[in-house]
Amino acid sequence: MSERRVTIKDVAARAGVSIATVSNVFSGNKPVNADLQERVQKAARDLSYQVDRAASQLRSGQAKVVGVLVPDLDDVFFTSLVSQLEVMAQKDGYDIIVASSRDDIGLEQSRLRTLLAWRPSGLIVIPCSDAVPAGLDNEFARLPMVFADRVPPGGSIVDTVAIDNCEAGEIAARHLLELGHRDIVVAASNVAISPIRERVRGASALIRATAGADPTVIELGSNAERGTEAFLHWLERHKRPSAVIALTNVTTLSTLSALARLRIDIPDPVSVVGFDDYPWMSARKTGLTAIRQPIAEIAAAAWERLRRRMSGDASPPLGTVLQTSLQVRDSVRELSPAARDDAQSHDLLQDQETKTAANAVH
Amino acid sequence: MSERRVTIKDVAARAGVSIATVSNVFSGNKPVNADLQERVQKAARDLSYQVDRAASQLRSGQAKVVGVLVPDLDDVFFTSLVSQLEVMAQKDGYDIIVASSRDDIGLEQSRLRTLLAWRPSGLIVIPCSDAVPAGLDNEFARLPMVFADRVPPGGSIVDTVAIDNCEAGEIAARHLLELGHRDIVVAASNVAISPIRERVRGASALIRATAGADPTVIELGSNAERGTEAFLHWLERHKRPSAVIALTNVTTLSTLSALARLRIDIPDPVSVVGFDDYPWMSARKTGLTAIRQPIAEIAAAAWERLRRRMSGDASPPLGTVLQTSLQVRDSVRELSPAARDDAQSHDLLQDQETKTAANAVH
DNA sequence: CACAGCCTGTTAAACGTTTTACAGTAAAAC
DNA sequence: GTTTTACTGTAAAACGTTTAACAGGCTGTG
């Protein structure tokens, strides 16, 4: 019963060539005659030979694996990214190994270590904080690497791919402001995360410029249920705003759940601008107006940069910034002049508190 | 600049021991003295040594990797599963490498081959068809393996973990029937997939027994947008049913989207029972009544079985079946007696067509 | 005291590839 | 006609581990 593994030797023997030739046929490192190639292929097929990745990798040092580290595998945004990456990786002959840091900086480090132990030919990282994960610093030089989505603010020493988060916030705010909304709440996940901070900044700046006061910013975390509770709690003890901007797909869910629980209709009395674009957003009676992130483009750009690096490109790091767009559906209403005045007075009433909340953020 | 990789040799030299000892310290295969262990650990830390997986795996034949093959990485159900598996795998010191077959039987084979090339210590497979993927048959004996969710019908020669699909269909149907619905459409993804077929079977049997006729079964595929179009198309040319049972989370989305597009309210005039339980289902004014699959339990059961197998358990294959439950929210209405009669007459009218559609399924 | 048995550590031989260095042959250049 | 050059194939040496076989120092027992 002891079925020995079929190795390159067996194939070589059966095809009547040296093992080096077999290797060359499979790796394509050196040209080999057409008929010999044929013979080798046939022999391999007959024995159902598969090259052993471990051996191959050990000798060559090359892995044909890329590690993908994301903060949360339950968040559609990240899994969509992973899904796209998997497709492109497969097309280029790479396998991906995924790890989730579960938004824990300690776990991030440990997961990173295990990813590095694979000696992958590249890494795509969505860090869980602004800090460049320790242990990665001495790898920058040798290991192709792309940071996506949550890129450390300021110039980076690695390639980065992200959306224009500040602009995303602006777009959402502008839409609401143009329709007369002044009393706007910004539902962030966690302002410690730089892209979120940027989105808040973009929205806040525009709202302040137009409405004369910073919006209230609340943090709902990255878990839909807990965020729902948090927002419910907030709604209980504050005046109801005329509009909410949710800055992630999870906070969008939290916002909608809380409003649904209180049987507050959308868009009247409360308008909502969500984030991301997923099928469930249009599977509702009042479709959700939302900021669309170009997930496919983000994934494509990240992979493209990584591919370049993996094939030896050593040019200075590049920061790719992609644009978001507004997907208008039915969850934002136009405020009548009367309602606007009403909203305005809310602003005045809440001015002080608003400022405090916003200050906490900046 | 030529930073040579730091190997076990370097650590051994620095700690003043043999490489075998270093290996033993890290693998724990043989006991080593406490102080020596300390010395080795320190040396390793100083040099920031990491064992090379490739070398380790080549020599030992053991991989500490499990391959996970899913049909679609854009489907929340599968990514939730992957997410849970990743957590448990990590806890047990395994890494996972994921591959998507994208519901293509050819791709499934090829992805499987690449997974096997890793010589993983185990495999968790959600097949994309009833057929056991070719190339896997000669691995059954040596490679620990668990099939999940889409298990081939009838007894299997591998461990399987799945829900009671037939019962799931029944539960949905019973709920509707009890509330007086008779004119029910079953929105399946693809009846070629055995669990779907089972769900249809369960629902159909009960509906036939109670309403006297099989329900209409329509196939909406596994893509939300295309499913929406398909259902829209169907709705255009058929009498509107009083209720819809959606048999996957994607068909649930398609159903809801189509109804929303036609501005048909839920639950009146059309009630809906969805599938799976995700945050977006309660983030709506009329929360969605749905069949809840215990995803965490499925993942846990699959991992547990795999873990057992990987540690040498050779008992005969086990088929684990988990129960679903009905999550009642607001998307199903109780039909008044008058409406019931009305629905009843529809049944009679559509009897013939209904039967044809259902026949196509069985 | 001698000897078996245990404990801990070492040496050296794998594991299955890739790759370097080399050899042989055929074609091209002198 | 000899020397290059180009092209293909091979033998053998890595790659960094794990592990089988072995060795030496204890302890406990007869």
Side-chain angles (χ1 to χ4, degrees), chain B residues 171-243:
Chain B
I171 292 176
R174 183 173 305 118
H175 184 61
L176 288 173
L177 292 165
E178 283 175 356
L179 292 177
H181 291 271
R182 293 295 179 270
D183 187 8
I184 300 170
V185 162
V186 174
S189 53
N190 181 350
V191 293
I193 299 168
S194 67
I196 302 301
R197 204 164 45 236
E198 287 298 295
R199 291 173 201 175
V200 168
R201 195 164 66 80
S204 291
L206 205 60
I207 292 172
R208 181 175 13 169
T210 312
D214 277 317
T216 304
V217 177
I218 54 184
E219 291 187 71
L220 301 182
S222 295
N223 175 278
E225 272 88 43
R226 281 198 294 277
T228 304
E229 298 303 330
F231 192 41
L232 276 172
H233 188 251
W234 186 90
L235 283 168
E236 270 172 22
R237 55 194 65 219
H238 292 80
K239 196 138 189 16
R240 175 196 295 165
S242 91

Side-chain angles (χ1 to χ4, degrees), chain B residues 82-284:
Chain B
V82 170
S83 173
Q84 308 266 357
L85 290 173
E86 197 261 352
V87 173
M88 290 176 296
Q90 186 241 339
K91 207 165 354 188
D92 289 350
Y94 288 84
D95 282 336
I96 68 175
I97 120 157
V98 293
S100 164
S101 64
R102 274 170 270 160
D103 253 322
D104 176 309
I105 200 152
L107 197 54
E108 179 174 66
Q109 281 223 29
S110 110
R111 300 307 275 146
L112 219 32
R113 286 182 67 84
T114 82
L115 284 186
L116 290 178
W118 285 100
R119 312 207 180 285
S121 25
L123 228 49
I124 291 185
V125 179
I126 304 178
C128 64
S129 80
D130 288 353
V132 168
L136 219 50
D137 24 13
N138 25 16
E139 300 289 345
F140 282 138
R142 40 185 161 204
L143 185 60
M145 201 175 327
V146 175
F147 278 31
D149 185 49
R150 304 189 181 174
V151 312
S156 175
I157 46 172
V158 272
D159 290 318
T160 61
V161 176
I163 58 167
D164 187 335
N165 286 292
C166 181
E167 191 197 48
E170 277 174 23
I171 292 176
R174 183 173 305 118
H175 184 61
L176 288 173
L177 292 165
E178 283 175 356
L179 292 177
H181 291 271
R182 293 295 179 270
D183 187 8
I184 300 170
V185 162
V186 174
S189 53
N190 181 350
V191 293
I193 299 168
S194 67
I196 302 301
R197 204 164 45 236
E198 287 298 295
R199 291 173 201 175
V200 168
R201 195 164 66 80
S204 291
L206 205 60
I207 292 172
R208 181 175 13 169
T210 312
D214 277 317
T216 304
V217 177
I218 54 184
E219 291 187 71
L220 301 182
S222 295
N223 175 278
E225 272 88 43
R226 281 198 294 277
T228 304
E229 298 303 330
F231 192 41
L232 276 172
H233 188 251
W234 186 90
L235 283 168
E236 270 172 22
R237 55 194 65 219
H238 292 80
K239 196 138 189 16
R240 175 196 295 165
S242 91
V244 179
I245 299 178
L247 292 185
T248 66
N249 75 74
V250 176
T251 50
T252 304
L253 283 167
S254 298
T255 302
L256 295 178
S257 293
L259 293 175
R261 279 256 274 285
L262 297 177
R263 315 221 62 76
I264 299 176
D265 281 335
I266 296 168
D268 185 2
V270 175
S271 296
V272 174
V273 176
F275 214 90
D276 287 346
D277 187 17
Y278 295 107
W280 64 263
M281 294 184 174
S282 46
R284 22 176 38 240

